[in-house]
Amino acid sequence: MKISIKKLSMFIIAVLTFGVVDFASGHHSFAMFDRAREEVTSGEVVRWAFNSPHVALYIRDAAGDIYAYEGAAPASLVTRSEPMNGFSFQPGDSVDLVVCPLHDGRNGGAIGIIIKEDVWYMPNDGGCGPNLESWQDWMTKGYMSKQEAIDAGEEIEM
Amino acid sequence: MSLTKHLKIIAAGLSLTASGAMFAQFGAPTPDAMPFPMEFETSRDHYDYLLDHYKGGVQHDYLSVPKWEGLWSTGGNTGGNRPFVADGEIIEGVLTPEYEAAFKYRRDLGDQAFNAGVDYDRLTTCEPAGMPRWLLEPYVREFLNTPTYSLWHNDLANDTRRIYINQEHINIDGTHFATGDSIGFWAVDDELGDVLVVHTEDIYPADFFRGTPPTSNQAESVEIYYEYWDEENDQKRIGVNVYWYDDLALLEPLSLVYTYRPRPDMEAAGLRIRYWECAQNQNTYLTFDEEGRPNTQYRLPGDPGYLDPRGTPSTRNPDLPADLIGQDKSPVFDDQFDFAF
């Protein structure tokens, strides 16, 4: 198993040291999100708020509980590899998500990946940074979290 | 004008011309920083020097004023922490002792936080970036120039700079401002072509970016804006050389470069700058631990104080009946939650 902590460290150092700024930057601290955890969840879209300064996706899970996940700035989503706008996710859509949950365990977190009708969207910013290729592989293997993948000996690419 | 002064200006003029030659390499995404043409006592001296150098500048009309319409995003730059940090360590001799200590304090605080380095951002409280962070905000901006003033809008927090052309500073407010008060003049540089020289003062204490050293309420700037051709990407870009003066924070003024790239791809995707409501940020708020260290927290639907960015927030129109029809902000979808906030 190879965990590329070094790559993560280099990225963090680059951001902190060289002021590398791109659309992964957010408008506020990400202290409340547990970015070390990446977990799979699913549900029905209640609302997709394509609002400044951060988009937000609200879903209702199978138990009927509502979860709120924050993503990047709307302006940054329109030119991503799978572009998004305010109509991309509509009430009632079924979605699978990779998220970084809140540290305190409440029903929310940062969005990493949204999967809708087999299209993988990446509306994330610095609050959650899953590796798309890794998760496309891990989903087929049934992993429900990054930790499960690590425990199974998967290589972790940052 | 004394001969000494003449000689200084001639020498400085040569320096400026030589520095302009550095920009002949327009294929480079990030131009080199311009050196200081001479040592100036104040940023205003620097601005006045440039005004003399360019013989008072030119007065554009609506036909001739450079057009920078469209959407732009930040490109290559030498800002952020580059002047202040190398190999993860603070570079000594750049900041004054007080501000170097403050920067260490900020970094130490960040290291103790969950998010490995940054546990506070003034944008959490919906404050605009302001200067000098305005220069580096990565999202989307517009540059609108008229003969009498320029309006440069950064979408983040509706942070608009106004550059009053061929005018003097005015401050009837008796305070400072996030983006300060800016004046400028257009000129034609032998190497750079059209340039806009800007002087800014009366700036709030702020930051170069999140996690960088703070700036003081004595900060002022001289900026030289110009267009250049990015051969690598075959597109016009806007560059700016920023001379940042801050007697309280810096031992010596800094010369920094920022660039901006056009975003026709965003325009093609239908993006238009809207009013930045700060709705989600109102749900992200500061907390403080027992030792007074700042951290950040996130309100969820149902939490006290949660603001609904799409429905009918309780803080909006509290003087109207709560069940008044037609007051949802976003009637596009039937996506109202089935519980009240």
Side-chain angles (χ1 to χ4, degrees):
Chain A
M1 179 177 70
K2 184 180 77 174
I3 301 176
S4 302
I5 297 299
K6 185 177 178 183
K7 288 183 181 177
L8 173 62
S9 301
M10 288 172 65
F11 172 74
I12 292 172
I13 289 170
V15 169
L16 297 178
T17 304
F18 301 113
V20 173
V21 175
D22 59 22
F23 287 141
S25 299
H27 297 102
H28 57 67
S29 161
F30 304 116
M32 59 285 202
F33 302 127
D34 190 346
R35 288 177 288 170
R37 289 165 62 196
E38 294 169 12
E39 298 180 350
V40 177
T41 188
S42 60
E44 177 183 274
V45 173
V46 175
R47 173 183 291 171
W48 166 242
F50 195 73
N51 287 65
S52 64
H54 288 258
V55 299
L57 181 69
Y58 301 85
I59 68 164
R60 180 180 286 109
D61 71 3
D65 294 325
I66 289 182
Y67 287 73
Y69 297 104
E70 186 183 81
S76 73
L77 302 192
V78 301
T79 54
R80 297 216 170 170
S81 57
E82 287 294 344
M84 288 154 275
N85 61 32
F87 294 85
S88 298
F89 311 106
Q90 303 193 17
D93 285 348
S94 292
V95 291
D96 295 313
L97 309 175
V98 177
V99 301
C100 295
L102 287 164
H103 280 289
D104 63 12
R106 290 178 300 137
N107 292 0
I111 312 173
I113 300 169
I114 303 174
I115 307 157
K116 174 188 161 183
E117 296 173 350
D118 295 327
V119 178
W120 292 58
Y121 299 90
M122 296 281 287
N124 60 310
D125 59 8
C128 192
N131 182 284
L132 179 63
E133 289 184 6
S134 294
W135 272 106
Q136 287 175 329
D137 176 43
W138 297 348
M139 284 281 197
T140 64
K141 296 175 178 174
Y143 300 135
M144 295 300 287
S145 70
K146 183 177 180 179
Q147 190 59 51
E148 280 188 21
I150 292 171
D151 292 344
E154 294 288 346
E155 181 174 315
I156 307 298
E157 291 293 337
M158 304 308 298
Chain B
M1 183 182 296
S2 71
L3 177 62
T4 306
K5 178 113 178 176
H6 267 298
L7 290 173
K8 280 185 177 175
I9 289 176
I10 290 168
L14 291 172
S15 296
L16 190 71
T17 303
S19 70
M22 298 170 70
F23 289 85
Q25 47 180 345
F26 283 167
T30 307
D32 295 331
M34 294 181 186
F36 284 80
M38 65 168 65
E39 187 174 322
F40 298 102
E41 191 71 24
T42 67
S43 67
R44 183 60 196 237
D45 288 347
H46 190 162
Y47 179 80
D48 288 342
Y49 160 78
L50 291 169
L51 192 58
D52 286 341
H53 175 78
Y54 288 120
K55 298 179 173 55
V58 298
Q59 176 64 59
H60 279 293
D61 59 25
Y62 272 94
L63 284 177
S64 66
V65 70
K67 314 295 190 301
W68 298 344
E69 282 95 339
L71 299 179
W72 300 77
S73 290
T74 310
N77 63 84
T78 62
N81 261 337
R82 286 185 181 88
F84 311 108
V85 177
D87 298 327
E89 300 294 330
I90 295 175
I91 302 170
E92 295 183 355
V94 178
L95 298 165
T96 59
E98 294 85 354
Y99 275 71
E100 187 173 307
F103 187 33
K104 286 177 181 172
Y105 180 86
R106 169 175 278 178
R107 287 167 63 86
D108 290 345
L109 200 62
D111 287 342
Q112 299 169 36
F114 287 126
N115 59 346
V118 180
D119 65 349
Y120 169 69
D121 189 324
R122 72 181 67 257
L123 304 185
T124 299
T125 52
C126 295
E127 291 182 55
M131 283 288 282
R133 180 168 168 173
W134 183 95
L135 297 158
L136 194 51
E137 273 302 325
Y139 296 94
V140 62
R141 61 184 70 220
E142 294 171 317
F143 295 94
L144 302 178
N145 299 321
T146 81
T148 55
Y149 72 127
S150 291
L151 290 168
W152 295 344
H153 183 76
N154 172 24
D155 76 325
L156 191 150
N158 308 305
D159 204 5
T160 302
R161 297 183 68 190
R162 290 171 171 80
I163 318 299
Y164 294 91
I165 304 300
N166 297 335
Q167 301 180 51
E168 264 307 320
H169 285 294
I170 297 177
N171 181 349
I172 64 167
D173 308 79
T175 183
H176 283 193
F177 319 98
T179 52
D181 187 72
S182 297
I183 60 173
F185 65 88
W186 288 96
V188 178
D189 184 275
D190 291 343
E191 297 288 338
L192 301 174
D194 288 313
V195 295
L196 177 56
V197 180
V198 178
H199 182 257
T200 301
E201 62 182 30
D202 296 351
I203 308 168
Y204 277 161
D207 316 277
F208 290 88
F209 204 79
R210 179 173 54 231
T212 66
T215 58
S216 84
N217 58 17
Q218 298 303 301
E220 297 179 348
S221 66
V222 173
E223 300 158 81
I224 302 176
Y225 284 82
Y226 53 91
E227 298 174 8
Y228 69 100
W229 192 256
D230 172 10
E231 291 181 354
E232 189 174 310
N233 297 291
D234 195 28
Q235 62 183 196
K236 181 173 78 175
R237 293 202 174 203
I238 297 172
V240 56
N241 203 93
V242 180
Y243 299 96
W244 191 257
Y245 288 78
D246 191 338
D247 289 344
L248 291 181
L250 299 174
L251 292 175
E252 299 289 341
L254 295 173
S255 177
L256 306 168
V257 178
Y258 298 86
T259 68
Y260 304 96
R261 58 194 172 110
R263 298 306 301 264
D265 53 339
M266 286 184 160
E267 294 174 35
L271 184 74
R272 291 178 175 173
I273 293 181
R274 310 296 188 186
Y275 185 78
W276 199 84
E277 297 189 62
C278 203
Q280 254 79 278
N281 262 23
Q282 295 290 28
N283 292 321
T284 306
Y285 61 101
L286 282 177
T287 62
F288 296 89
D289 67 15
E290 294 173 349
E291 298 180 22
R293 295 175 300 194
N295 214 310
T296 308
Q297 198 40 277
Y298 188 45
R299 291 190 186 97
L300 300 176
D303 286 347
Y306 178 83
L307 285 182
D308 182 356
R310 294 232 152 185
T312 52
S314 58
T315 54
R316 192 164 191 258
N317 293 333
D319 57 338
L320 293 177
D323 58 352
L324 180 63
I325 192 170
Q327 290 297 303
D328 293 342
K329 290 168 68 179
S330 302
V332 178
F333 300 116
D334 180 17
D335 60 352
Q336 298 309 295
F337 295 111
D338 54 5
F339 57 88
F341 295 120

